[in-house]
Amino acid sequence: MAILITGGAGYIGSHTAAQLLAQGEEIVILDNFSNSKPEVLDAIRTLTGRDFPFYQADLLDEGQLEQVFQENAIHTVIHFAGLKAVGESVAKPLLYYHNNLTGTLNLCRAMERHGCFSLVFSSSATVYYLGCNTAPFREDFPLGSTNPYGMTKVYIEQILTDLAASDSRWRIALMRYFNPIGAHPSGLLGEDPNGIPNNLLPYIAKVALGELPCLKVYGDDYDTPDGTGIRDYIHVCDLAQGHICALDYLKDNPGAHPINLGSGKGYSVLEVADAFERASGVKIPRVIAPRRDGDIARSYADASLAKEILHWEARRGIDEMCRDAWNYTLLHRQQN
Ligand code: NAD
Ligand code: UFG
């Protein structure tokens, strides 16, 4: 019996795969490499000393999915596969709705056909980005988002909630990630976006490398202590551990369960840039730029539910997140 990891070659999936293998679990990875590279699979094998079946397959291809379920006894799925660039989703909503929603529907249908009813889904704190919500965000807040990517998460959560209500065999965790950053301490796994990064940490890392001239701080006139946006950053290894705790929880808890995975603590853009300077010893020049469309002033979790029901909380602080991100950046640059 094995755990299927969709999107397991990606940033969060690869860390979770490595952690599951290290704990002795059997896994199968499925990925179409639309936003990842085959080398990541070798890194997981090197790190853990273990092998696993891999399928280069697309969730949009039902035949390929069927083959994965026929050839493996899957008891649980951790579903990371999806497109995630907010700006691209505004430009290409059909691509996002098709990939993320149809992919999830195909997956759930294949699971049902094969009697697999346990699912951990990657949702996002972006489902709280409504004008009426103020941080700390709690799981019972109303949902909505500022962009098509975020709406795919809102709709998928609704679909999975309906599914769980229709059949008590389903056990579904809706994991609402805040801002995952950092990398595996070995430097073998991390985040490696193509082109100019959209997200803060990969952007800062490229500035530290000298590949980009300076950090553009999107707005310094928010209602926050230093005027810049506040986010709840969480080490990707803590996030991976949260999935493993969710698998345990689902064993005894049917239904659909939204759960925040965040630290409960917020850092401003300038505080993160300062932390990265401390970790890297490299100065990060900054310029103030206009606010970015769709951004909100503050996003951080009420992390109490995960603590209560999963017995999980984020352990690693901002300095460790920046240190591991920088370590990965340096090692990865030397490999390329
Ligand atoms: P990622 O892009 O690194 O990983 C996603 C993986 O899914 C990639 O390897 C990609 O090739 C694969 N994939 C995409 N569509 C596919 C398809 N149709 N069939 C097969 N494989 C497909 O992203 P990540 O940062 O690891 O995020 C994982 C999940 O967590 C995503 O669903 C994302 O929306 C969600 N999430 C991420 C963040 C974040 O900041 N990283 C925050 C909140 C939620
Ligand atoms: N920021 C900058 N300059 C940059 C990049 C970001 O100032 O070059 C600022 C943003 O304005 C924001 C903060 O840094 O205040 C964090 O921005 P990110 O883009 O790293 O993260 P977001 O919180 O905007 O979004 C991320 C993911 C979304 C996800 C959301 C909630 O990109 O997909 O977290 O989980 F939905």
Side-chain angles (χ1 to χ4, degrees):
M1 296 290 275
I3 300 168
L4 173 63
I5 305 182
T6 75
Y11 172 46
I12 305 169
S14 58
H15 287 82
T16 307
Q19 224 147 302
L20 284 165
L21 287 166
Q23 295 189 11
E25 298 286 351
E26 298 299 324
I27 66 164
V28 174
I29 292 184
L30 173 160
D31 205 297
N32 66 359
F33 294 135
S34 59
N35 196 39
S36 52
K37 300 191 182 94
E39 298 84 76
V40 172
L41 304 173
D42 296 331
I44 297 172
R45 292 185 180 107
T46 305
L47 196 56
T48 60
R50 293 192 56 200
D51 202 2
F52 49 86
F54 170 72
Y55 291 81
Q56 183 169 354
D58 197 311
L59 290 179
L60 298 179
D61 185 327
E62 293 195 83
Q64 290 182 337
L65 257 179
E66 180 59 25
Q67 187 192 350
V68 174
F69 278 88
Q70 271 177 12
E71 293 179 359
N72 301 277
I74 305 293
H75 64 82
T76 297
V77 178
I78 310 184
H79 178 29
F80 295 102
L83 297 174
K84 63 165 185 176
V86 172
E88 187 184 45
S89 80
V90 175
K92 301 176 183 170
L94 290 180
L95 174 71
Y96 271 67
Y97 285 120
H98 186 44
N99 190 76
N100 293 2
L101 272 93
T102 311
T104 303
L105 291 173
N106 288 346
L107 175 67
C108 291
R109 275 201 297 263
M111 290 175 70
E112 208 165 48
R113 280 196 303 278
H114 291 270
C116 172
F117 294 98
S118 172
L119 175 65
V120 178
F121 171 64
S122 299
S123 188
S124 165
T126 191
V127 301
Y128 295 120
Y129 284 18
L130 276 183
C132 59
N133 288 333
T134 45
F137 296 138
R138 265 202 342 260
E139 287 85 350
D140 59 357
F141 279 12
L143 304 188
S145 193
T146 51
N147 57 79
Y149 160 69
M151 288 311 297
T152 70
K153 299 297 184 190
V154 173
Y155 293 137
I156 293 170
E157 284 206 13
Q158 184 62 53
I159 290 166
L160 296 178
T161 303
D162 292 344
L163 191 58
S166 74
D167 183 336
S168 61
R169 287 175 296 177
W170 281 99
R171 294 139 198 273
I172 303 175
L174 307 168
M175 313 305 277
R176 296 180 181 158
Y177 310 156
F178 281 71
N179 289 58
I181 60 169
H184 194 276
S186 66
L188 287 176
L189 301 174
E191 190 175 18
D192 182 22
N194 293 327
I196 297 180
N198 296 309
N199 296 117
L200 182 62
L201 246 287
Y203 198 102
I204 290 179
K206 283 206 184 290
V207 174
L209 281 179
E211 293 178 11
L212 291 168
C214 63
L215 169 64
K216 283 183 269 175
V217 177
Y218 294 140
D220 69 346
D221 56 353
Y222 284 108
D223 180 20
T224 61
D226 67 16
T228 68
I230 289 180
R231 295 291 181 275
D232 182 338
Y233 297 93
I234 173 171
H235 196 294
V236 65
C237 292
D238 281 336
L239 195 69
Q241 189 57 38
H243 292 76
I244 292 168
C245 298
L247 294 179
D248 247 11
Y249 178 74
L250 290 183
K251 285 179 189 150
D252 301 319
N253 291 283
H257 310 277
I259 307 170
N260 288 340
L261 289 183
S263 70
K265 189 169 166 35
Y267 289 96
S268 73
V269 176
L270 298 181
E271 286 173 326
V272 174
D274 289 345
F276 204 92
E277 284 186 349
R278 285 196 299 276
S280 64
V282 181
K283 191 99 194 116
I284 308 293
R286 306 129 199 225
V287 292
I288 305 302
R291 289 182 180 194
R292 187 171 65 175
D293 275 355
D295 272 355
I296 61 172
R298 283 188 177 78
S299 164
Y300 54 93
D302 178 327
S304 55
L305 183 67
K307 191 170 179 186
E308 182 193 324
I309 67 174
L310 302 185
H311 313 296
W312 171 93
E313 59 187 321
R315 289 195 299 113
R316 297 160 177 90
I318 193 75
D319 289 323
E320 196 170 346
M321 298 184 219
C322 291
R323 184 199 69 197
D324 290 341
W326 180 235
N327 180 41
Y328 173 79
T329 306
L330 286 177
L331 282 173
H332 203 65
R333 180 190 54 169
Q334 282 152 15
Q335 279 164 13
N336 285 333

